Amino acid sequence: MAAAELQGKYQKLAQEYSKLRAQNQVLKKGVVDEQANSASLKEQLKMKDQSLRKLQQEMDSLTFRNQQLAKRVELLQDELALSEARGKKNKKSVESSSQLSQEQKSVFNEDLQKKIEENERLHILFFEADEQHKRLEAELRSRLEVLETDAAQHQAVVDSLTKKYTETIEKLQNDKAKLEIKSQTLEREAKDCRLRTEECQQQLKNLQAALGSRLEESLCIINEKVPFNDTRSARYNALNVPLHNRRNQLKLRDLAGQAMAFVQELVTALLNFHTYTEQKVQIFPIDSATDTISPLNQKFSQYLHENASYVRPLEEGMLHLFESITEDTVTVLETTVKLKAFSEHLASYLGFLRKILPYQLKSLEEECESSLCTAALRARNMELHRDMKRLTAVFERLHTYVSLLALPSTRPEGLLRTNYNFVFTNIAASLHGFHDILKDISKHYSQKAALEQEVPTATQKLITTNDCILSSVAALTNGAGKMASFFSNNLDHFSTSLSYGPKGGAEFISPLSAECMLQYKKKAAAFMKSLKKPCADSVPYEEALANRRVLLSSTESREGLAQQVQQSLEKIAKLEQEKEHWMLEAQLAKIKLEKENQKLKNSLSGHLTETIQEHSVLPNIAEQKKETTEKSLREPIKSTSLAPDVESREDLIKTHYMARIAELTSHLQLADSKSVHFHAECRALAKRLSLAEKSKESLTEELKLASQNITRLQDELMTTKRSYEDQLSMMSDHLCSMNETLTKQREEIDTLKMASKGNSKKNKNR
């Protein structure tokens, strides 16, 4: 497959290269044609310059001829004046000659007038032709410059394209060589794979034969030993324990923990909101410290004072629900019995909201009727009036859907599994509506607080209370937004994970069957644990696999390490207790030892005093009782010899307890080192995970950029092709138009030449 793909890519690249090569040849031909056209245009310009010079020479000759004619006319006029002066003297003698001279004068005048008009016309034509020739020459020069720059640009583009195409040809040749090597290696691998497939097919046949024989044996055993199949009936199948998905349970527990944190935030925000609302009712519009507030506000503040008894159970119910979701249970809607308690707590809070809603609305209306309330403040109060109604309605919808989710744990016929997704989506929509309403309430409360600060009777206590209400509403808005986004993001997981059941069955029949299934699961787990025998020499293989899986998943490793740390802390606490116990025992032993030593000393001193008294009272009987006194004197010597035995015993006890304490401290240090080692491994795994995610993101971004660059380069190639084609078409149009203008100019020059020749002939004839 890889060889085929590479060959296809190579063929595509070869086709693109052939296309680009053909386009390159076309561009080269266009550039050559343009160069030839520019050379022809230069030659035409030279010819035009030569013709212009000839015309200028003819024009100069004509002007010289006109000057000669003008001088001749002046001479003729002078002669005419002389003739007129002479004619006055001899009018009578030369009447006939005067008539002839007048006729000649009129003829000369007519001829002179015609020549002057013709000269003017020729001057005008020559000036117009000269101006038109200069204009055309300037246009042609500018066009020639533009064409030369375009030709240079095209030549540069052609050079760059040829360079690029040579580079691509080299790359393609290298790729071709690499692909040939790869194709050879792939052919070898294909041969090896064929051999392996033949071996695998042979093994598969053997395995099929072995499995067929085993299947026959197992079917015989099942038919003989199994009395009935409990998966055929839904009632019995509901009691079967489904496959345990530990990852799913951990995910659900994590989600429940997040939901509990969000509910705790909402509970604290609701407590603050109701408490600060109670303070606000007692301050504005009438301060209870200076005057008595209305009975309505008194009742409203009394009800608001009871908010903790309705809000706190929500947190407790969510905590119980979180504690019921453990790693060992099967969490579905039929087994989440604690959801019913949370629904009841939500119903009690909804009843509290319904109870305080009319008082809250009447309190806002009463505030609007007070003299301190302006028109803008009245408008804000009416907006809050509507918002509070919407808030209660949203909580009613939430309670409805949560109570529907709690039905499978009590009455499963009340909610079918096909409707789970619908209920979850409606809960998500209700949470988003709750967030939107809280945003409106925050906006309207901030406007209301700003207007109340402008009231002349506003106190610092009112301003601080308004700030507290705004902060609590902002906390409510943030918590509701987090809850809504959290529920929307995990909607698919909720709808899929909370709706699985026993193998082969569609659902649990009743909560009782789900409870029995959980009991059977516990018994099965206990039985499996009892079958396992601990091995003191090494870690069991299953436990090692479990530890590896725990280390691979971040959440599992966290919980496992937390349990190990908890166990080590418990061991440390027990060891410390034992240490304190033995320290007390040692102190008691020391006290007893001191008491015994004191008793021995007292007994020895008393015995010596008695013997001395006996010697003083009965001196005569000394010799008789000599043996008794020696015995009595030997007894204290024996008793005093007990002291070193006691000291050696103390030393033994001390050494024993010191060794025990050293052993316990070594165990404690070992536990600390293990916990530190586990913590370091967790941090390293977390870092590796974060680095892997970052590298994944960077690689995806690089892949996106590469694809974008490829598309951009393809678009640029297409645009350059189109621009080259457009430029060639425009250049051909320009050349056609220039040829047409040149032909027109030639025709005009020919006409001017013909006219100038005709004028020169007429002038010569004259």
Side-chain angles (χ1 to χ4, degrees):
M1 290 294 288
E5 289 178 359
L6 291 170
Q7 192 173 2
K9 288 181 181 178
Y10 180 71
Q11 289 177 358
K12 288 180 182 177
L13 290 170
Q15 290 174 1
E16 289 180 359
Y17 175 69
S18 61
K19 289 179 182 177
L20 293 172
R21 194 170 183 179
Q23 290 174 2
N24 189 10
Q25 291 176 358
V26 172
L27 288 171
K28 282 183 178 179
K29 288 180 182 179
V31 171
V32 171
D33 294 335
E34 285 178 4
Q35 289 175 355
N37 289 326
S38 63
S40 64
L41 288 171
K42 285 180 181 179
E43 291 177 357
Q44 289 175 5
L45 282 172
K46 288 179 182 179
M47 296 293 290
K48 289 285 182 72
D49 289 334
Q50 291 175 1
S51 62
L52 183 62
R53 287 170 187 169
K54 288 179 182 179
L55 289 171
Q56 284 178 353
Q57 290 174 0
E58 291 177 358
M59 191 68 187
D60 292 335
S61 63
L62 287 171
T63 51
F64 180 71
R65 185 67 178 166
N66 287 329
Q67 288 175 1
Q68 287 180 352
L69 290 170
K71 288 179 181 180
R72 192 172 180 182
V73 168
E74 287 177 356
L75 291 171
L76 290 170
Q77 286 178 355
D78 293 336
E79 289 176 357
L80 182 63
L82 290 172
S83 66
E84 284 178 356
R86 290 175 184 175
K88 286 180 182 179
K89 292 179 181 179
N90 49 4
K91 284 182 181 179
K92 293 179 180 179
S93 61
V94 285
E95 286 180 357
S96 61
S97 63
S98 65
Q99 288 177 358
L100 290 170
S101 65
Q102 284 179 359
E103 288 177 358
Q104 289 176 357
K105 186 178 180 181
S106 63
V107 170
F108 284 138
N109 286 330
E110 287 178 359
D111 290 335
L112 183 63
Q113 188 68 31
K114 286 180 180 178
K115 286 183 179 181
I116 289 166
E117 289 177 356
E118 188 176 359
N119 195 6
E120 286 179 356
R121 186 172 60 78
L122 288 171
H123 272 292
I124 290 165
L125 288 171
F126 181 75
F127 181 74
E128 288 178 355
D130 191 13
E131 289 292 328
Q132 191 174 6
H133 183 267
K134 287 179 180 178
R135 189 166 55 253
L136 286 170
E137 185 180 2
E139 289 179 358
L140 289 170
R141 286 184 185 280
S142 63
R143 286 180 182 177
L144 183 62
E145 290 176 357
V146 171
L147 288 170
E148 285 178 352
T149 54
D150 290 338
Q153 289 178 358
H154 288 308
Q155 188 64 35
V157 170
V158 167
D159 293 335
S160 64
L161 286 172
T162 51
K163 187 177 179 181
K164 185 178 179 181
Y165 295 149
T166 52
E167 290 177 355
T168 52
I169 287 164
E170 290 177 357
K171 286 182 181 178
L172 289 171
Q173 288 176 354
N174 294 326
D175 293 336
K176 183 180 178 182
K178 290 178 181 178
L179 289 171
E180 287 177 354
I181 294 166
K182 284 184 179 179
S183 64
Q184 291 175 1
T185 54
L186 289 171
E187 286 177 357
R188 292 171 188 170
E189 289 178 358
K191 289 179 181 178
D192 295 335
C193 289
R194 288 193 195 98
L195 295 172
R196 289 177 185 174
T197 50
E198 290 176 357
E199 291 177 359
C200 291
Q201 285 177 358
Q202 188 65 32
Q203 290 178 1
L204 182 63
K205 289 179 182 178
N206 297 329
L207 287 171
Q208 284 178 352
L211 290 172
S213 61
R214 287 184 183 180
L215 180 62
E216 291 177 358
E217 291 177 0
S218 60
L219 287 173
C220 292
I221 292 167
I222 289 167
N223 291 325
E224 291 176 359
K225 302 294 182 181
V226 178
F228 70 96
N229 188 5
D230 56 356
T231 57
R232 291 178 181 176
S233 66
R235 290 178 61 193
Y236 298 130
N237 191 29
L239 299 174
N240 286 328
V241 179
L243 295 173
H244 183 62
N245 192 348
R246 185 169 179 269
R247 191 180 296 278
N248 186 21
Q249 285 296 119
L250 291 172
K251 177 71 174 174
L252 281 174
R253 183 171 174 80
D254 188 16
L255 293 176
Q258 294 179 21
M260 185 181 69
F262 294 143
V263 169
Q264 286 175 352
E265 289 182 8
L266 287 174
V267 164
T268 54
L270 285 170
L271 287 170
N272 293 329
F273 177 68
H274 291 312
T275 305
Y276 293 133
T277 306
E278 179 189 356
Q279 293 180 7
K280 174 74 180 295
V281 167
Q282 293 179 358
I283 293 170
F284 190 80
I286 299 170
D287 194 353
S288 61
T290 58
D291 198 357
T292 57
I293 61 176
S294 64
L296 176 71
N297 284 332
Q298 289 179 0
K299 196 73 174 174
F300 184 38
S301 64
Q302 182 181 355
Y303 285 150
L304 285 173
H305 193 68
E306 300 171 356
N307 67 83
S309 60
Y310 296 99
V311 179
R312 289 290 183 192
L314 291 173
E315 183 179 358
E316 295 175 359
M318 197 66 201
L319 181 62
H320 293 318
L321 180 62
F322 170 70
E323 290 175 351
S324 66
I325 299 171
T326 59
E327 183 182 346
D328 300 329
T329 58
V330 178
T331 303
V332 289
L333 288 178
E334 288 84 0
T335 59
T336 52
V337 184
K338 300 295 182 180
L339 191 60
K340 179 67 176 175
F342 180 74
S343 174
E344 291 173 354
H345 295 320
L346 187 60
S348 65
Y349 179 67
L350 179 61
F352 171 71
L353 288 178
R354 288 173 179 168
K355 183 171 68 173
I356 65 170
L357 180 63
Y359 293 98
Q360 194 166 13
L361 300 180
K362 290 290 183 182
S363 176
L364 289 170
E365 292 172 1
E366 184 179 340
E367 186 178 342
C368 291
E369 291 173 358
S370 66
S371 60
L372 298 173
C373 188
T374 60
L377 189 59
R378 193 175 294 110
R380 299 289 85 76
N381 286 332
M382 295 312 293
E383 288 174 351
L384 285 172
H385 192 280
R386 291 190 293 271
D387 292 338
M388 292 303 167
K389 289 182 180 178
R390 290 167 60 201
L391 183 65
T392 308
V394 164
F395 268 104
E396 287 177 354
R397 285 201 299 273
L398 280 173
H399 170 253
T400 302
Y401 293 122
V402 172
S403 61
L404 283 174
L405 285 180
L407 279 177
S409 61
T410 54
R411 289 187 297 107
E413 67 276 2
L415 181 66
L416 300 176
R417 287 203 169 195
T418 55
N419 297 325
Y420 284 2
N421 195 9
F422 175 74
V423 174
F424 283 123
T425 51
N426 282 321
I427 288 174
S430 301
L431 288 172
H432 282 290
F434 179 48
H435 182 227
D436 295 335
I437 291 166
L438 286 174
K439 285 196 287 188
D440 293 337
I441 289 172
S442 177
K443 177 183 174 183
H444 297 152
Y445 248 116
S446 62
Q447 294 173 357
K448 176 180 166 63
L451 291 171
E452 285 178 354
Q453 287 181 3
E454 297 175 358
V455 175
T457 59
T459 60
Q460 186 63 34
K461 190 175 181 181
L462 176 63
I463 293 168
T464 53
T465 305
N466 283 331
D467 292 337
C468 293
I469 290 173
L470 286 173
S471 64
S472 62
V473 171
L476 263 176
T477 308
N478 292 329
K482 289 178 184 178
M483 179 68 87
S485 60
F486 161 75
F487 208 86
S488 298
N489 293 331
N490 298 296
L491 189 62
D492 296 333
H493 186 75
F494 285 141
S495 58
T496 54
S497 62
L498 293 177
S499 59
Y500 77 97
K503 187 177 180 181
E507 60 184 2
F508 292 101
I509 292 175
S510 64
L512 184 61
S513 64
E515 188 176 357
C516 292
M517 181 273 298
L518 290 176
Q519 291 179 1
Y520 295 153
K521 185 177 182 300
K522 290 178 182 178
K523 289 180 180 179
F527 177 69
M528 294 299 290
K529 285 181 181 178
S530 64
L531 290 177
K532 291 181 180 179
K533 293 181 180 180
C535 185
D537 296 331
S538 63
V539 179
Y541 180 71
E542 295 178 356
E543 189 176 351
L545 287 176
N547 291 332
R548 183 176 178 277
R549 290 169 187 165
V550 167
L551 288 173
L552 288 174
S553 61
S554 61
T555 54
E556 293 175 359
S557 62
R558 285 178 188 169
E559 289 190 358
L561 290 172
Q563 289 177 0
Q564 289 179 2
V565 170
Q566 189 67 29
Q567 290 175 1
S568 61
L569 289 173
E570 289 176 358
K571 287 180 180 178
I572 289 164
K574 287 180 180 178
L575 291 171
E576 287 179 353
Q577 289 176 1
E578 289 180 358
K579 180 182 175 182
E580 291 177 356
H581 172 70
W582 290 114
M583 289 289 286
L584 292 171
E585 289 289 334
Q587 289 178 1
L588 289 171
K590 283 182 181 180
I591 292 166
K592 287 180 180 179
L593 183 62
E594 288 176 358
K595 286 181 179 179
E596 290 292 331
N597 290 329
Q598 191 69 30
K599 284 180 181 179
L600 287 170
K601 288 178 182 179
N602 292 329
S603 62
L604 287 170
S605 61
H607 195 69
L608 287 169
T609 51
E610 286 177 0
T611 52
I612 290 163
Q613 286 175 2
E614 285 177 358
H615 282 294
S616 60
V617 173
L618 299 170
N620 297 322
I621 314 170
E623 292 179 357
Q624 293 177 0
K625 293 182 179 180
K626 190 175 183 180
E627 294 178 358
T628 57
T629 53
E630 287 177 357
K631 288 179 182 179
S632 63
L633 287 170
R634 285 172 188 170
E635 285 178 1
I637 291 167
K638 287 180 182 179
S639 62
T640 52
S641 66
L642 292 171
D645 295 333
V646 172
E647 289 178 358
S648 62
R649 196 178 298 163
E650 282 183 6
D651 293 333
L652 288 171
I653 291 167
K654 282 181 182 179
T655 52
H656 174 71
Y657 283 125
M658 288 299 288
R660 183 64 177 162
I661 289 164
E663 186 180 357
L664 292 173
T665 51
S666 65
H667 284 301
L668 181 61
Q669 289 174 358
L670 196 140
D672 290 335
S673 63
K674 283 184 179 179
S675 62
V676 170
H677 177 66
F678 287 138
H679 181 66
E681 285 183 353
C682 288
R683 289 182 64 185
L685 288 170
K687 286 181 180 178
R688 285 182 185 174
L689 184 61
S690 62
L691 290 171
E693 290 176 352
K694 288 179 181 177
S695 63
K696 183 181 177 183
E697 292 175 356
S698 63
L699 288 171
T700 52
E701 289 177 357
E702 288 177 359
L703 184 62
K704 289 179 182 177
L705 289 172
S707 60
Q708 290 175 1
N709 289 327
I710 289 165
T711 54
R712 182 173 58 78
L713 290 170
Q714 289 176 354
D715 295 335
E716 286 179 357
L717 184 61
M718 294 298 291
T719 51
T720 51
K721 287 179 184 177
R722 290 173 184 171
S723 64
Y724 290 152
E725 291 173 358
D726 295 336
Q727 286 176 2
L728 288 171
S729 62
M730 288 173 68
M731 288 168 70
S732 61
D733 295 336
H734 282 308
L735 290 171
C736 292
S737 62
M738 287 172 70
N739 289 323
E740 290 176 357
T741 53
L742 287 170
T743 52
K744 288 179 182 178
Q745 286 176 3
R746 284 174 184 173
E747 291 175 357
E748 289 175 356
I749 289 165
D750 292 334
T751 53
L752 288 170
K753 284 180 180 180
M754 293 294 290
S756 62
K757 285 179 181 179
N759 290 327
S760 63
K761 286 179 181 179
K762 287 180 182 179
N763 291 326
K764 286 177 182 179
N765 292 325
R766 287 175 185 174

